[in-house]
Amino acid sequence: MSAEIYIVIFSLCPPSIPPSPQATQDELKASYRRLCMLYHPDKHRDPELKSQAEQLFNQVHQAYEVLSDPQSRAIYDIFGKKGLEVEGWEIVERKRTPVEIREEYERLQREREERRLQQRTNPKGTISVGVDATDLFDRYEEDFEEMPGGGFPHIEINRMHISQSIEAPLTNSDTAMLSGSLSTHNGNGGGNINMTVRRVTSAKGWGELEFGAGDILGPLFGMKVFRNLTPRCFLTAQCGMQFSPRGVRPSCSLMTARHLDQNTMGYLQWRWGPHSSMTTSVVRDTKTSHFTLALQLGVPHSYLMMSYQYKFQDEDQTKVKGSIKTGWFGTVVEYGAERKISRHSVLAATVSVGVPQGVTLKIRLARANQTYLFPVHLTDQLLPSAVFYATVGPLLVYMAIHRLVIIPYTCSQKQQDLELQRKSSEVDMVKKKQEADSVGVPPPVPGLIILNAWYGKFVTDNSARQERAQVIDVTVPLQCLVKDSKLILTEASKAGLPGFYDPCVGEDKSLKLLYQFRGVMHQVLSADTEALRIPKQSHRIDAEA
């Protein structure tokens, strides 16, 4: 098959019918130029013919971009256009055989189907296990001295709760949600199941109907409506009827919210039913903090609550928080921390100290859409020892696990990834090194002169003794990039510049420059992905130095 027919068939054939690959790169280039001249829109004056020519011109250009790239062409030769639509090829090594490409395609297809199923069903679940550990602090030693095993505190699981929900899109505007839960407390338990159908009526609102049944409260029927009143204000209304053995128990709630500014929301909620109340709250959420102030007046509980959360701008997304809540039930003070321990997992611990609630340690692990809760009730009294152990104990355990398990595991994973990157880039590194060595020395020009330039990993005074510098000399390549006595580098890795290559794959790299401008010496150290523009007045070296 000729190269010209190969390009045209690629442009016009169905995605499932790939042509036979027999054209060389030279033939493709010659045919591409010939077809560009044939279909160039400027050669046609008739508007209709010009529109058709422009469409064919774009198709030919798109086809040549794919067929001129060896990996894209191999993917197309095996799978056709459909194979190019699969996400993930951009991170695949560019030295794969057809068999490896087919295996990679099948793997990417499986991952794509898994993501699609995950997005369609959106499963969410919560598992809560309550632990009663009051025997650690509230026991009387003399009552257990003569009992077998009386020397060991009695710790038991006194409650459990499991809930799960999934979604099933019915149409573009209709979604069905199925949820269920099981609970047990001190030997008594129950469960319920709910089904909700939601319809998006417009860009401003939606409505849903809820049907439920349980072994304790009986059948449930409810309705909920959401509506955007203005660009800064929305309203949610909900009503329901619970058919219990004691009769029908209606309930109703109304909530309105408004954007007070870019980061602040104000809420006003009214509830009527078994737990009638009126609640107002202000929530301010910024990049570094989250603040909530709420006041509720109702039956049987009224309270005032204030909470604050500080967000550290680190890689682990660490957060510390504290809150105080006071009302007819007493006063509760909570404080805790939250940290990301892996790509999809977040670990949090909170200490709750209240009167008359006592002291409780709450541990939460969130993994993707699953949440695991472990509330540990330590004492019914306000004991300083319980507060101390609830605060220090989890911190020491986390530090030990983080140092002995998490850090070694992540380091080994990074080392394995680094070795794979080094092996996959060995051939490219040799080729780029040859290209860098073949760069000729440019003729001397007045103005900006690069005296010395080094790129790679530099050794500092704080580095380990066994560590050595891994740098390459890039004086000549950088001098070639100087234009009109200026050197401008954009925000990208400098390993991709002409005459550069990566001397230490996976390591943090820098570019160190010593240059002369108008007879004055300058020096600068720039990070790998940092933009650089020279000459600059701030780079000057003092005469004494």
Side-chain angles (χ1 to χ4, degrees):
M1 183 179 292
S2 69
E4 186 171 336
I5 298 177
Y6 190 48
I7 291 183
V8 173
I9 288 182
F10 173 80
S11 306
L12 305 178
C13 74
S16 58
I17 309 178
S20 176
Q22 304 201 358
T24 64
Q25 288 293 333
D26 293 336
E27 292 173 339
L28 284 172
K29 184 180 294 186
S31 298
Y32 171 65
R33 292 176 178 174
R34 185 163 53 252
L35 289 172
C36 285
M37 294 177 62
L38 179 63
Y39 295 127
H40 201 284
D42 295 341
K43 289 184 173 290
H44 304 275
R45 296 183 178 180
D46 184 82
E48 185 176 353
L49 292 177
K50 188 171 184 177
S51 176
Q52 295 178 0
E54 185 175 359
Q55 184 178 3
L56 290 172
F57 181 82
N58 292 333
Q59 290 179 350
V60 169
H61 179 70
Q62 180 187 4
Y64 181 72
E65 282 187 344
V66 174
L67 298 179
S68 60
D69 181 71
Q71 174 163 313
S72 300
R73 182 176 177 180
I75 296 169
Y76 174 73
D77 290 340
I78 299 174
F79 306 107
K81 287 185 179 179
K82 189 176 180 181
L84 296 171
E85 296 173 357
V86 176
E87 299 176 356
W89 288 119
E90 62 275 4
I91 62 174
V92 178
E93 296 176 36
R94 307 185 65 82
K95 303 182 287 294
R96 296 294 183 94
T97 63
V99 176
E100 293 173 332
I101 289 177
R102 180 179 292 275
E103 294 176 353
E104 194 68 28
Y105 171 80
E106 294 174 352
R107 184 185 69 81
L108 292 173
Q109 278 284 68
R110 288 194 302 269
E111 292 182 356
R112 184 182 182 185
E113 292 299 324
E114 291 175 359
R115 287 196 303 269
R116 183 180 300 173
L117 180 62
Q118 180 85 1
Q119 292 171 357
R120 287 180 63 88
T121 58
N122 192 24
K124 297 179 181 178
T126 301
I127 298 177
S128 178
V129 179
V131 179
D132 183 3
T134 56
D135 203 29
L136 290 171
F137 299 95
D138 292 345
R139 65 183 298 183
Y140 291 96
E141 298 294 339
E142 58 271 15
D143 294 341
F144 297 92
E145 289 179 353
E146 299 180 358
M147 294 180 59
F152 297 96
H154 180 64
I155 300 175
E156 63 177 1
I157 296 176
N158 61 351
R159 65 174 65 192
M160 290 188 65
H161 175 79
I162 301 175
S163 63
Q164 186 74 29
S165 67
I166 58 173
E167 297 181 1
L170 305 178
T171 63
N172 291 334
S173 58
D174 297 335
T175 303
M177 291 166 281
L178 183 65
S179 61
S181 64
L182 293 172
S183 301
T184 177
H185 179 51
N186 291 332
N188 299 319
N192 61 357
I193 186 171
N194 293 70
M195 182 176 180
T196 305
V197 179
R198 174 180 294 181
R199 164 165 287 189
V200 179
T201 56
S202 66
K204 293 184 177 181
W206 49 263
E208 65 182 28
L209 296 176
E210 181 182 5
F211 306 91
D215 60 349
I216 298 178
L217 298 177
L220 168 69
F221 171 77
M223 182 173 62
K224 187 176 183 180
V225 178
F226 171 86
R227 180 73 178 179
N228 278 316
L229 303 178
T230 66
R232 299 173 61 89
C233 182
F234 65 85
L235 176 72
T236 301
Q238 184 176 4
C239 62
M241 299 185 69
Q242 186 83 55
F243 299 90
S244 65
R246 298 181 180 180
V248 180
R249 304 172 64 181
S251 62
C252 182
S253 68
L254 188 67
M255 190 267 287
T256 180
R258 180 179 175 82
H259 286 274
L260 303 179
D261 59 33
Q262 184 179 2
N263 300 313
T264 308
M265 289 285 296
Y267 298 89
L268 182 63
Q269 185 175 26
W270 170 75
R271 287 194 187 99
W272 174 78
H275 302 284
S276 300
S277 64
M278 177 71 77
T279 306
T280 180
S281 59
V282 177
V283 179
R284 180 172 179 80
D285 190 10
T286 65
K287 186 178 180 181
T288 59
S289 63
H290 183 92
F291 175 78
T292 303
L293 178 64
L295 173 65
Q296 175 176 303
L297 301 175
V299 178
H301 293 303
S302 297
Y303 65 83
L304 174 66
M305 188 270 291
M306 182 175 61
S307 68
Y308 179 81
Q309 182 183 80
Y310 182 79
K311 307 173 186 178
F312 291 90
Q313 303 301 308
D314 58 354
E315 183 180 357
D316 297 325
Q317 301 178 9
T318 306
K319 302 175 184 177
V320 293
K321 54 186 177 181
S323 68
I324 181 170
K325 187 175 182 180
T326 181
W328 304 127
F329 54 83
T331 301
V332 178
V333 176
E334 290 189 352
Y335 58 91
E338 176 182 306
R339 193 172 193 182
K340 187 176 181 181
I341 58 175
S342 70
R343 182 179 180 184
H344 302 289
S345 301
V346 176
L347 180 65
T350 304
V351 179
S352 176
V353 181
V355 178
Q357 291 81 4
V359 181
T360 302
L361 171 64
K362 302 174 184 178
I363 300 175
R364 176 174 61 87
L365 174 64
R367 171 76 176 174
N369 290 334
Q370 301 293 322
T371 304
Y372 305 91
L373 299 173
F374 302 93
V376 182
H377 188 54
L378 298 178
T379 175
D380 294 325
Q381 307 174 51
L382 191 58
L383 299 178
S385 58
V387 176
F388 174 79
Y389 286 111
T391 304
V392 177
L395 184 61
L396 295 178
V397 172
Y398 171 77
M399 292 176 63
I401 295 177
H402 187 262
R403 181 173 294 274
L404 299 177
V405 179
I406 298 178
I407 292 181
Y409 175 76
T410 54
C411 289
S412 65
Q413 289 294 111
K414 289 181 180 179
Q415 192 65 28
Q416 292 177 7
D417 295 341
L418 185 60
E419 290 297 328
L420 291 176
Q421 291 180 15
R422 287 174 177 171
K423 290 181 180 178
S424 64
S425 61
E426 283 180 356
V427 177
D428 292 341
M429 185 181 295
V430 172
K431 185 178 179 180
K432 287 190 175 183
K433 187 175 181 181
Q434 293 174 352
E435 294 176 354
D437 295 338
S438 64
V439 177
V441 180
V445 293
L448 178 61
I449 302 175
I450 307 295
L451 300 177
N452 280 303
W454 301 93
Y455 174 68
K457 180 182 178 181
F458 295 90
V459 176
T460 62
D461 295 337
N462 298 327
S463 302
R465 291 184 178 179
Q466 66 271 17
E467 201 172 5
R468 62 185 181 86
Q470 302 177 39
V471 296
I472 57 174
D473 188 352
V474 291
T475 306
V476 175
L478 278 183
Q479 187 66 56
C480 293
L481 296 177
V482 174
K483 185 177 180 181
D484 298 331
S485 292
K486 294 180 182 179
L487 177 63
I488 301 175
L489 304 180
T490 59
E491 291 184 0
S493 177
K494 297 174 178 59
L497 295 174
F500 280 61
Y501 65 92
D502 195 339
C504 46
V505 179
E507 302 286 348
D508 293 334
K509 294 171 284 290
S510 303
L511 175 64
K512 190 173 184 179
L513 275 172
L514 179 65
Y515 64 93
Q516 181 178 341
F517 181 67
R518 295 179 180 176
V520 181
M521 302 292 291
H522 296 68
Q523 184 174 343
V524 61
L525 181 65
S526 174
D528 185 25
T529 57
E530 181 183 358
L532 179 64
R533 184 185 181 95
I534 61 173
K536 272 190 176 183
Q537 189 77 13
S538 58
H539 299 164
R540 293 186 59 173
I541 301 177
D542 296 336
E544 296 180 358

